[in-house]
Structure formats: C-alpha cells, structure tokens
Amino acid sequence: HVQLVESGGGSVQSGGSLKLSCVASGSRYHTYCMGWFRQAPGKEREGNAALDSDCTIAYAVYVEGRFTISRDNAENTLYLQMDSLKPEDTAMYYCAADPRCWLVTLRASDFAYWGRGTQVTVS
C-alpha cells in the first residue's frame, strides 16, 4: 500500500504561481509512474501531468507550457509547478501513483493509489 500526502495548495490571483508537493511512502517510489490530477465541482477528474521512473513526461494540452511536473526520488516527492494560473484551473488537485508503470498515462483508472488532495483556487 502506498500513502500519498499533498501540500502546497492555496488561493492565488490569475497569472500567479503555486508549487504543489506530494510525499509518497515506501521504498519503491523511484519505480512508480506518478501523476497529478484535478477535479472541479461537478466535473470529472482529469489528468494534468504524469511521468515515469525515467522522467518521460506527459502533459494535458490545457496545462502544457504552464505546468511542470518533476520528482525527487531521494525525497520520495513529486512536484507540480503551476505558473500563469487561470480561474479555470480552480480545483482539488490530487497526486496519484501507478506501481506497475507500464507506460506514462493521464488516465485516472491506471493509477491505483491516491492522496486526499489539496485545494487550488484562482481568482
């Protein structure tokens, strides 16, 4: 079982930046595919960015060029740097882990473990 704890959310004005962090439990974090997802009220959960153990990265088209995903395997931590934030980025943001890591994907159903989320509000 993998535990994930997100932090770094908050309220920011349009055009601002936030950096989310996600700390994972376990000794095999470095082998996992990891991803950031978000869900706004009344909407489905959608993938923002994901990467595998070799840092092959996938971005959703609506965040590419504004968001940057990265990982620190020594600290078991996943990051999401979010720049040029827009009001439509307002959502609960979740970190997710896929221990199988067959390929980099933005499909929520491919991820087995989830954090509780951190709220991002852009006004």
Side-chain angles (χ1 to χ4, degrees):
H1 185 72
V2 179
Q3 291 184 322
L4 303 169
V5 180
E6 304 96 334
S7 63
S11 296
V12 64
Q13 291 189 338
S14 182
S17 297
L18 284 173
K19 186 172 184 177
L20 306 183
S21 299
C22 170
V23 178
S25 65
S27 60
R28 297 195 58 77
Y29 164 80
H30 63 284
T31 68
Y32 301 162
C33 281
M34 299 294 298
W36 285 102
F37 294 77
R38 69 188 184 188
Q39 188 167 19
K43 295 188 177 181
E44 292 187 356
R45 190 168 296 190
E46 57 185 10
N48 294 340
L51 47 60
D52 66 10
S53 56
D54 295 324
C55 291
T56 299
I57 293 173
Y59 288 107
V61 62
Y62 48 83
V63 305
E64 194 156 16
R66 300 189 299 123
F67 291 9
T68 303
I69 189 172
S70 61
R71 68 191 301 163
D72 182 339
N73 289 336
E75 298 293 331
N76 274 27
T77 302
L78 180 73
Y79 300 101
L80 185 68
Q81 176 67 46
M82 304 187 295
D83 299 316
S84 302
L85 283 162
K86 305 175 182 180
E88 51 263 45
D89 294 319
T90 295
M92 185 70 78
Y93 282 71
Y94 298 90
C95 168
D98 172 15
R100 302 168 306 171
C101 202
W102 292 337
L103 76 165
V104 180
T105 171
L106 294 177
R107 287 193 305 265
S109 59
D110 289 330
F111 289 80
Y113 299 102
W114 294 83
R116 293 190 172 186
T118 185
Q119 177 68 37
V120 172
T121 302
V122 185
S123 60

